[in-house]
């Protein structure tokens, strides 16, 4: 029940209301006073800046909004009033990286009015947390304005120097699926968020947005020197956002931390989202799955019909048997429905979401799975033909619900600005994946899925902005280069050894990722002699702890797991729902070590991974419970392991440990260590 996940504790909300005809500067500080946001007016234009202690984090940066045929909320403004509030409450996640989340912030709401027409107003809302800042604008209902077309948001983020940063480009062919570039910020032009900066050894900053709801997503355009401007992704006609007043923007977020790991631990994005809207969440269950998937990417099988069709009755039963034997919750089957033959990326309108290929008996297989305590995981690849999908999706969800399918993976493979939209008068338009049209589509599907008690795993998604808090059936998504990139074009597409040491500080700050780790056959032998995964096998295990996802796949072929059941044990044991997450040590792009406590037992799990450099890390076990002993089940790179020449060697060891002990970990080149601390 919704009420079963209430606010646990509300320690106080207070506010005061001030009339300020035109103040010089209004400051709002984080509860611990470490972060200060200041708002100033300069000749009718609002500016904000952010400091942490004495360090400037964001230099004075402009705020403003321009409408078509409406008043400009960009100049000739005066402060009409402002108001402070403090909130301190703790809420419980349905699932996640930690069980309870404290939302402790100070809020400032500033109402600006047009100098020559005081009834024309815009409100800016700022929330300052101990881990950063969020702000948004609201255009309230007002005389003479109703339906608006927002043409431009002028929000700036002026960084204080040419910081080192990690980023991917926006408005490109492959959506969000690019390798991260590590460069000085002046090498950027138009980028997606999150973009993460190292301002100094003691100052890390990440820019993103939270609660992207019926709005264009925000890319960032570096206009000059160190200043980024909000670059709202337009509709095909150039309008950025359409709406009827009142409207509000998503939160623009600035996460700030002394350590890179602090960015991962920060719940700021979730705190800026609305509480859970679903009454009954009993059907929402994190878990692990296997699937008829990697064999298509390797070329062993096909999505389309023919002699190599992957989604056959026999093959699906083989995966269901494997899942049942090893305790997996779900079996994903791609290529089960008609529409895959020919160029499915170009012909997405041919997909039918309720008709199976003749060699896939969906009723029989769904029952076969259920009888073994396993569920099929549904698959809806749309090819980006969302009109075709929207026409069928309700029937498709009904079918799945009747068959006991609880999770559906969706897909939107279409390139660049290639999502077809038809106007009421029949005119065709092409839209971006991250414009308002698609933000609306993705949200519609999340809400409809909830109606049919379906959890979602979205590939080629809109970026993650924390809406999983509001709709906890929005489990996980892709939105970055996942494992599949290793199976395609050799060097040109393969993820490099440092890729997974960047993802936790960039893409995953937005939310969980369906990366699909767990490839044991890291060189692909007969299927693809030229391709491989650029890691050791032990690193593949550690990724289950490093890259958070409430639904994690064991992505490899069952036959590869059957050869290494001793190593596979870690994937069987690792949970996907956590009580506590602590980043023990990390450097962006170099290495990451994370400890997480299982939400359903007293066990802890640790993952550590490194880039192309071998390294030794120290794990201090001060997180373990005092007075308790644990059996550490260690899966580490073997002594000769090395991702290029000896990726397969995994050493498995066991030892007794307790709080206060420390462990040395030796990671091979692109290697890793995964440990289960089993509470005795
Ligand atoms: C791209 C997805 O990321 C991948 O996982 C899927 O197998 C293909 N599309 C086909 O839907
Ligand atoms: Ca993809």
């Amino acid at each position: 029940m919704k009420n079963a996940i209430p606010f646990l504790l509300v320690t106080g909300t207070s506010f005061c209301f001030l009339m300020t005809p035109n103040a010089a500067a209004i400051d709002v500080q984080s509860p611990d006073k470490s972060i200060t946001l200041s708002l100033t007016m300069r000749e009718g234009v609002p500016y904000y800046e952010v400091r942490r202690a004495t360090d400037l984090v964001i230099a004075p940066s402009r705020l403003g909004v321009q409408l078509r045929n409406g008043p400009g909320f960009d100049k000739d403004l005066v402060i009409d009033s402002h108001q402070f509030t403090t909130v301190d409450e703790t809420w419980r996640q349905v699932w996640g990286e930690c069980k309870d989340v404290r939302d402790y912030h100070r809020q400032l709401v500033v109402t600006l009015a047009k100098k020559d027409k005081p009834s024309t107003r815009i409100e800016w809302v700022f929330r300052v947390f101990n881990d950063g800042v969020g702000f948004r604008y609201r255009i309230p209902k007002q005389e003479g304005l109703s339906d608006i077309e927002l043409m431009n948001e002028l929000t700036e983020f002026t960084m204080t120097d040419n910081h080192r940063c990690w980023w991917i480009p926006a408005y490109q062919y492959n959506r969000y699926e690019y390798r991260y570039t590590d460069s000085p910020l002046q090498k950027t032009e138009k980028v997606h968020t999150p973009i993460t900066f190292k301002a100094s050894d003691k100052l890390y900053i990440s820019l993103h947005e939270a609660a992207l709801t019926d709005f264009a997503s925000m890319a960032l355009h570096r206009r000059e020197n160190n200043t980024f401007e909000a670059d709202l992704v337009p509709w095909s006609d150039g309008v950025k956002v359409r709406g009827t007043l009142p409207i509000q923007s998503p939160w623009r977020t600035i996460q700030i931390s002394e350590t890179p790991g602090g960015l991962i631990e920060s719940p700021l994005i979730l705190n800026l989202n609305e509480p859970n809207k679903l009454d009954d969440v009993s059907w929402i269950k994190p878990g692990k799955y296997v699937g008829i998937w990697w064999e298509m990417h390797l070329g062993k099988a096909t999505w389309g019909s023919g002699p190599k069709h992957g989604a056959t009755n026999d093959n699906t039963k083989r995966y269901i048997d494997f899942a049942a034997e090893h305790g997996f919750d779900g079996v994903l089957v791609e290529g089960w429905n008609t529409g895959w033959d020919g160029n499915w990326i170009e012909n997405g309108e041919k997909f039918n979401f309720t008709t199976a290929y003749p060699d896939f008996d969906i009723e029989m297989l769904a029952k076969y799975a259920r009888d073994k305590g396993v569920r099929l995981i549904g698959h809806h690849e749309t090819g980006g033909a969302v009109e075709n999908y929207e026409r069928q999706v309700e029937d498709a969800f009904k079918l799945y619900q009747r068959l006991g399918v609880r999770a559906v993976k969706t897909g939107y493979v279409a390139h660049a600005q290639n999502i077809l939209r038809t106007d009421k008068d029949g005119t065709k338009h092409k839209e971006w994946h991250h414009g308002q049209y698609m933000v609306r589509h993705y949200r519609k599907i999340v809400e409809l899925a909830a109606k049919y008690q379906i959890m979602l795993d979205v590939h080629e998604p809109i970026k993650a902005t924390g809406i999983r808090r509001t709709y906890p059936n929005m489990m996980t998504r892709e939105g970055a280069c996942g494992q599949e990139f290793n199976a395609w074009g050799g060097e040109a597409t393969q993820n490099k050894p440092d890729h997974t040491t960047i993802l936790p500080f960039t893409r995953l700050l937005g939310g969980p990722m369906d990366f699909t780790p767990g490839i044991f056959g890291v060189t692909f032998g007969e299927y693809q002699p030229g391709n491989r995964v650029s890691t050791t096998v032990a690193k593949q295990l550690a990724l289950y702890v490093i890259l958070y996802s409430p639904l994690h796949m064991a992505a490899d072929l069952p036959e590869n797991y059957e050869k290494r059941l001793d190593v596979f044990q870690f994937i069987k044991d690792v949970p996907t729902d956590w009580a506590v997450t602590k980043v023990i040590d990390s450097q962006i792009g170099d290495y990451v070590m994370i400890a997480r406590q299982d939400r359903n037992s007293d066990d802890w799990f640790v993952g550590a991974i490194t880039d192309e450099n071998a390294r030794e890390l120290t794990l201090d076990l001060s997180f373990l419970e005092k007075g308790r002993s644990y059996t550490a089940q260690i899966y580490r790179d073997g002594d000769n392991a090395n991702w290029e020449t000896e990726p397969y060697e995994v050493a498995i060891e066991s030892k007794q440990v307790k709080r206060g002990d420390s462990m040395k970990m030796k990671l091979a080149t692109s290697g890793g260590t995964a440990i289960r601390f089993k509470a005795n």
Side-chain angles (χ1 to χ4, degrees):
M1 293 298 292
K2 187 176 178 173
N3 297 338
I5 23 174
F7 294 153
L8 289 183
L9 163 88
V10 177
T11 53
T13 300
S14 60
F15 71 92
C16 65
F17 187 77
L18 297 171
M19 294 299 289
T20 36
N22 217 349
I26 307 173
D27 285 357
V28 53
Q29 274 193 328
S30 58
D32 68 358
K33 305 214 174 341
S34 65
I35 297 176
T36 308
L37 179 139
S38 306
L39 183 90
T40 49
M41 297 299 292
R42 299 184 182 180
E43 297 173 359
V45 177
Y47 283 78
Y48 77 100
E49 66 178 59
V50 179
R51 293 180 175 274
R52 197 191 54 160
T54 52
D55 291 334
L56 196 55
V57 176
I58 303 288
S61 299
R62 183 174 186 174
L63 298 168
V65 181
Q66 293 169 333
L67 306 182
R68 180 188 289 191
N69 305 329
F73 293 111
D74 53 341
K75 56 180 191 246
D76 307 324
L77 295 161
V78 289
I79 294 178
D80 179 76
S81 63
H82 71 279
Q83 176 185 329
F84 291 105
T85 339
T86 301
V87 167
D88 185 4
E89 59 194 23
T90 298
W91 56 278
R92 180 157 290 178
Q93 300 211 72
V94 176
W95 48 263
E97 304 91 320
C98 57
K99 189 166 166 186
D100 295 320
V101 179
R102 185 176 183 191
D103 174 0
Y104 190 18
H105 68 260
R106 298 205 73 217
Q107 173 173 287
L108 163 68
V109 180
V110 178
T111 304
L112 302 178
K114 280 302 246 191
K115 215 182 286 174
D116 54 358
K117 194 170 175 227
S119 62
T120 300
R121 287 149 185 265
I122 185 168
E123 293 166 3
W124 286 85
V125 185
F126 303 91
R127 288 190 183 167
V128 185
F129 301 79
N130 298 341
D131 52 345
V133 168
F135 62 89
R136 69 172 6 158
Y137 48 93
R138 301 196 286 231
I139 309 180
K141 268 196 163 156
Q142 49 198 277
E143 210 190 294
L145 262 191
S146 171
D147 292 342
I148 59 140
E149 291 183 333
L150 200 154
M151 300 308 289
N152 212 1
E153 175 176 334
L154 303 174
T155 302
E156 289 176 349
F157 301 88
T158 302
M159 312 312 285
T160 57
D161 206 342
N162 186 14
H163 302 321
R164 182 177 177 189
C165 62
W166 289 264
W167 56 277
I168 53 171
Y171 299 104
Q172 299 295 314
Y173 183 78
N174 243 350
R175 308 162 303 270
Y176 294 91
E177 297 173 23
Y178 284 88
R179 290 181 193 153
Y180 279 84
T181 301
D182 168 357
S183 77
L185 75 78
Q186 288 178 7
K187 287 263 167 358
T188 64
E189 197 190 328
K190 288 192 178 185
V191 298
H192 279 305
T193 69
I195 174 173
T196 300
F197 304 85
K198 179 175 182 174
S200 76
D201 285 345
K202 295 231 172 274
L203 183 56
Y204 296 82
I205 305 160
S206 186
L207 305 179
H208 189 42
E209 60 183 313
L212 174 53
T213 298
D214 200 2
F215 220 77
S217 77
M218 179 183 74
L220 294 175
H221 184 180
R222 194 180 60 80
R223 287 258 185 230
E224 57 180 43
N225 300 328
N226 304 323
T227 301
F228 291 92
E229 190 178 282
D231 186 279
L232 299 184
V233 178
W235 290 74
S236 46
D237 62 0
V239 174
K240 304 288 176 58
V241 179
R242 310 188 127 85
T244 302
L245 299 188
I247 67 158
Q248 61 184 0
S249 70
W251 296 93
R252 281 63 185 96
T253 61
I254 307 167
Q255 284 168 281
I256 304 169
S257 174
E258 200 173 310
T259 60
L263 296 176
I264 296 176
E265 290 173 358
S266 155
L268 183 126
I269 305 281
L270 283 172
N271 274 330
L272 289 168
N273 274 270
E274 301 292 319
N276 172 30
K277 281 195 176 162
L278 306 183
D279 288 331
D280 176 10
V281 293
S282 59
W283 50 276
I284 300 178
K285 300 224 186 303
K288 284 173 292 188
Y289 69 101
V290 293
I292 301 180
W293 178 78
W294 191 233
E295 53 187 82
M296 276 83 94
H297 288 275
L298 286 182
K300 181 187 173 201
T302 57
W303 283 275
S305 59
K308 282 170 52 177
H309 188 212
T312 64
N313 292 336
D314 284 350
N315 201 25
T316 308
K317 280 186 179 168
R318 180 170 79 99
Y319 275 82
I320 294 170
D321 293 346
F322 180 83
E325 185 184 341
H326 296 289
F328 285 81
D329 307 281
V331 174
L332 167 71
V333 186
E334 295 198 359
W336 69 273
N337 60 318
T338 57
W340 288 93
D341 297 309
N343 185 343
W344 56 268
I345 302 180
E346 293 295 316
N347 299 313
E349 74 286 349
K350 293 202 174 140
F351 280 119
N352 185 300
F353 300 99
T354 48
T355 310
Y357 277 119
D359 50 353
F360 187 83
D361 182 345
I362 193 168
E363 303 273 346
M364 179 275 288
L365 290 165
K367 179 167 184 322
Y368 185 85
R370 283 196 317 268
D371 288 349
K372 293 198 163 212
V374 174
R375 307 255 175 182
L376 289 182
I377 295 185
H379 187 232
H380 289 166
E381 172 57 64
T382 67
V386 298
E387 294 176 330
N388 176 51
Y389 186 41
E390 288 191 10
R391 278 193 292 273
Q392 301 182 50
V393 62
E394 189 135 15
D395 286 342
F397 283 159
K398 274 186 196 155
L399 170 70
Y400 276 144
Q401 191 184 35
R402 183 172 62 71
L403 295 174
V405 170
R406 292 251 176 92
V408 175
K409 172 176 170 180
T410 58
Y412 294 86
V413 181
H415 298 123
Q417 186 179 1
N418 226 350
I419 304 276
L420 197 69
R421 172 175 70 83
T422 315
D423 257 352
K424 286 200 183 93
D425 68 3
T427 321
K428 309 265 184 214
H429 305 275
K430 297 214 165 162
E431 305 294 347
W432 291 100
H433 279 71
H434 47 312
Q436 186 180 19
Y437 175 67
M438 282 301 284
V439 169
R440 283 179 177 167
H441 168 80
Y442 289 114
R443 177 61 60 92
K444 203 184 305 177
I445 300 300
V446 174
E447 291 176 2
L448 200 66
K451 181 172 160 198
Y452 292 99
Q453 304 201 324
I454 281 172
M455 300 179 270
L456 285 179
D457 167 8
V458 183
H459 279 233
E460 298 79 48
I462 185 60
K463 62 170 111 164
T465 60
I467 66 150
R468 61 183 162 132
R469 176 176 177 188
T470 316
Y471 296 98
N473 64 316
M474 181 56 249
M475 308 297 282
T476 188
R477 65 183 88 206
E478 189 190 35
C481 296
Q483 187 80 268
E484 62 199 38
F485 272 76
N486 296 314
W488 298 341
E491 280 281 302
T493 68
Q494 261 163 31
N495 298 322
K496 299 287 174 241
D498 65 353
H499 182 60
T500 46
T501 66
I502 300 172
L503 285 177
F505 306 97
T506 49
R507 158 67 185 82
L508 276 100
L509 296 182
M513 177 175 176
D514 186 35
F515 180 84
T516 67
I519 299 301
F520 283 10
V522 293
T523 53
F524 306 150
E526 57 180 302
Y527 302 121
Q528 292 193 29
N531 278 349
R532 60 162 301 167
V533 184
S534 311
T535 68
T536 65
V537 169
K539 183 174 180 178
Q540 290 291 311
L541 299 183
L543 293 178
Y544 287 88
V545 183
I546 298 291
L547 301 175
Y548 179 62
S549 183
L551 300 177
H552 251 320
M553 185 178 203
D556 209 345
L557 310 174
E559 54 266 37
N560 285 341
Y561 291 135
E562 266 149 6
K563 283 185 227 149
R564 292 305 305 269
L565 288 176
D566 54 344
V567 179
F568 190 48
Q569 189 61 43
F570 183 81
I571 301 181
K572 290 166 67 168
D573 292 339
V574 70
T576 59
D577 190 12
W578 305 101
V580 180
T581 286
K582 288 177 192 280
V583 181
I584 308 290
D585 195 4
S586 64
Q587 283 301 334
I588 306 175
D590 298 336
Y591 65 93
V592 195
M593 177 157 55
I594 297 180
R596 304 194 198 256
Q597 187 182 25
D598 183 12
R599 185 145 163 186
N600 298 303
S601 76
D602 294 332
D603 295 356
W604 282 81
F605 288 75
V606 166
I609 59 169
T610 180
D611 60 2
E612 67 282 4
N613 300 305
R615 64 182 86 231
E616 192 171 288
L617 299 175
T618 303
L619 172 63
D620 169 2
L621 297 180
S622 56
F623 55 85
L624 296 177
E625 193 187 319
K626 209 171 167 184
R628 187 129 194 207
S629 81
Y630 295 80
T631 305
Q633 300 167 352
I634 305 161
Y635 302 75
R636 63 168 177 86
D637 292 317
D639 295 337
N640 303 308
N642 169 320
W643 78 268
E644 282 164 298
T645 56
E646 184 47 271
Y648 289 104
E649 196 181 308
V650 180
I652 304 177
E653 292 161 354
S654 167
K655 67 184 205 185
Q656 298 304 307
V657 297
K658 57 179 186 331
R659 182 186 173 127
D661 292 350
S662 76
M663 295 169 76
K664 290 258 181 267
M665 288 184 182
K666 268 194 160 166
L667 311 184
T669 61
S670 196
T673 299
I675 310 176
R676 175 188 189 183
F677 293 93
K678 195 170 179 337
N680 295 320

